[in-house]
Each structure stands twice: as structure tokens, then as C-alpha cells.
Amino acid sequence: MRKIVSLLLPFGMIFALAACGQSAASEKQEEIQSAVQKTDEQSETPQNGAAVEQTEIEMGTEPPESVSTEEQEADVSTKTLVVYFSCTGTTELVAEYITEILGADSYQIVAEDPYTEADLAYYTNGRADQEQNDPNVRPAISSGVENMDEYDTIILGYPIWHGQAPRIISTFLESYDFFGKTIVPFCTSHSSGIGSSASNLHALCSESVEWRDGKRFESGVSKESVQKWIEEIGIE
Ligand SMILES: Cc1cc2nc3c(=O)[nH]c(=O)nc-3n(C[C@H](O)[C@H](O)[C@H](O)COP(=O)(O)O)c2cc1C
């Protein structure tokens, strides 16, 4: 009998261990199944938003924040304002071309005290001559741009007065915060180039302004020529 027991004992132990292992495995299996079921239930009926979010984060399936199409477009679109000063219409015509080509908004700088013909007669020591001789003069502007914050790009046009921009352009530039904006200068003249007239304006604005190279147009320039320039500088 003793012999039989000693012979059967190892088989009994092996059986008992196997049974034990199987029940542990099936317990584990049950645990996993119930966890998966819980996750399924939560995602089907999300009664607890935080729990769903937690599960998504753990599983690395958190959905990206949704951004509407309009928001995406607003992120990439830029808005341009064409600003100009013109006393005899030459700069105004170029500004109108630019405004039409770009479908942009425009703003005319108008002096609070309008310039008369006598004021504009140059080399007579008239009003315009005197203003250009004094870099500190700031002729007043009659009305302003209320929504300057909306614009990313300013295209700024002026006539050349004694090789420089009229002092009223300085008034304009000192009246707003152009932080982070792009300014594209252009001018018209009898014969002078844009010269230092544009670069001398840089010091009037924040250093964060991106100044683009300026362009001089002659009186009677065609709309096609203006369009070519717009395409060259890549403003939309
Ligand atoms: C006070 C004054 C100074 C001027 N100085 C120059 C000059 O230095 N060089 C030049 O080529 N034209 C000069 N002009 C001519 C203007 O630049 C030119 O006529 C311009 O196109 C006028 O633009 P608007 O019609 O938009 O006012 C001057 C005009 C004025 C009134």
C-alpha cells in the first residue's frame, strides 16, 4: 500500500498544480474580459467623461482638438490695407490700382489743414518746402484708421517731396502700433527715385516691422505695370 501511495503521489501533485494554474489563468482571463467590457461600456455610454478621456489618453487615441474650416482659413489669411497720401492725384491712381488688384481696403491720409496750390509750389519756400526742411514737423491728419489691428500688411504710398516722404507720412507712422506688421512703401515723383525716402521712415516704427523694398512709379503708370510689381513682391 505504501508503495502504491508513493507511486501515485507525484502524479497527484502534478494534477493539483495543473488545476491550480488553470484556475489562475481563467481568473486572469475573466479579469481582462471584464476590463475590456467596462471600457466598451464606457465608450458606448460615456457617463463619466473624465474616465473616457483617461482611457483615451492611456491608449494614445486622444482625438486632436477639432478646428473649424473657418478657423483654419483665418489662421493663414492676411489682410492688407492700402494707405496713401496724394495732393494732385498721381499717387492716388496707383493706390486705386493696387486696391483693385488685391481687393484690399484703402485709407487716404487727408491733412487736417488741406494743402493749397500755393502750399505745393515747390522751391518757393511755401508750406510744403518749409515742412520738408524741418524733420520734426508733424502735420495733423483729419481722421484715422479705427481697425488697424486687423491688418497684417500696409502698402504705403506717397509723393516724393524734396527727395523724401512728406512729413505727414511721419505723423501717420507715429500714430499707430505696427508691431509685427509688414509695410511695403511705394511713391510717385516727377523724376526722383525712391532713394532714402523709405528707409528714413524705418526709425519711426517698432523694430518688429518688416519693411519691404520700396518702389517708385512715374505719373501715368499702367495698371499692368502695377500688377506686375504686386506679383513680384508676392503680396496677396
Ligand atoms: C513740395 C514738393 C516737392 C517735390 N519734390 C520732388 C522731388 O524732389 N523730386 C521729384 O521727382 N518730384 C518732386 N515733386 C513732384 C511730386 O513728387 C510728383 O508730382 C508726385 O507724383 C505728386 O504726387 P501726388 O499727385 O500724388 O501728390 C515735388 C512736389 C512737391 C509738391
Side-chain angles (χ1 to χ4, degrees):
M1 184 62 184
R2 242 183 174 185
K3 209 169 182 181
I4 292 168
V5 169
S6 69
L7 272 171
L8 290 175
L9 194 61
F11 289 110
M13 281 173 74
I14 290 166
F15 180 76
L17 277 173
C20 209
Q22 209 169 8
S23 88
S26 68
E27 267 171 31
K28 189 78 187 160
Q29 182 77 15
E30 272 169 28
E31 257 174 43
I32 292 168
Q33 267 175 355
S34 111
V36 170
Q37 205 176 342
K38 267 186 198 159
T39 310
D40 286 351
E41 278 166 12
Q42 280 167 350
S43 58
E44 274 166 22
T45 54
Q47 288 156 350
N48 181 345
V52 174
E53 207 173 288
Q54 182 65 25
T55 309
E56 283 168 344
I57 292 165
E58 281 167 4
M59 295 172 77
T61 57
E62 193 185 6
E65 262 181 38
S66 70
V67 180
S68 72
T69 316
E70 288 95 304
E71 278 172 331
Q72 284 174 5
E73 278 168 9
D75 281 345
V76 292
S77 69
T78 58
K79 206 170 169 189
T80 300
L81 180 67
V82 180
V83 175
Y84 66 95
F85 174 66
S86 179
C87 290
T88 51
T90 315
T91 313
E92 183 169 41
L93 187 62
V94 179
E96 279 172 7
Y97 288 156
I98 299 169
T99 305
E100 284 167 18
I101 292 162
L102 292 174
D105 294 344
S106 71
Y107 162 71
Q108 180 177 13
I109 298 172
V110 177
E112 208 168 85
D113 183 9
Y115 289 85
T116 64
E117 208 174 315
D119 290 339
L120 297 171
Y122 50 123
Y123 298 117
T124 64
N125 199 29
R127 176 185 167 193
D129 286 349
Q130 287 178 27
E131 286 177 1
Q132 293 310 101
N133 284 334
D134 183 352
N136 297 317
V137 167
R138 295 291 181 268
I141 295 172
S142 75
S143 65
V145 181
E146 280 176 16
N147 56 341
M148 188 60 86
D149 284 358
E150 290 178 21
Y151 300 99
D152 311 285
T153 304
I154 311 297
I155 301 185
L156 177 62
Y158 53 85
I160 292 287
W161 282 6
H162 299 296
Q164 297 299 316
R167 300 293 172 213
I168 201 164
I169 297 296
S170 306
T171 312
F172 169 76
L173 290 173
E174 288 173 349
S175 301
Y176 301 90
D177 181 2
F178 293 100
F179 189 90
K181 298 188 195 296
T182 298
I183 304 182
V184 188
F186 76 92
C187 68
T188 67
S189 72
H190 177 67
S191 58
S192 304
I194 196 162
S196 60
S197 72
S199 55
N200 282 342
L201 300 173
H202 296 191
L204 303 172
C205 298
S206 144
E207 279 185 10
S208 71
V209 169
E210 186 196 332
W211 282 90
R212 304 286 291 273
D213 286 343
K215 171 83 176 168
R216 179 251 172 188
F217 294 102
E218 61 190 2
S219 169
V221 64
S222 69
K223 191 175 179 179
E224 289 68 33
S225 300
V226 174
Q227 176 141 19
K228 201 169 156 239
W229 173 63
I230 293 289
E231 285 164 7
E232 274 167 19
I233 59 174
I235 300 289
E236 292 176 352

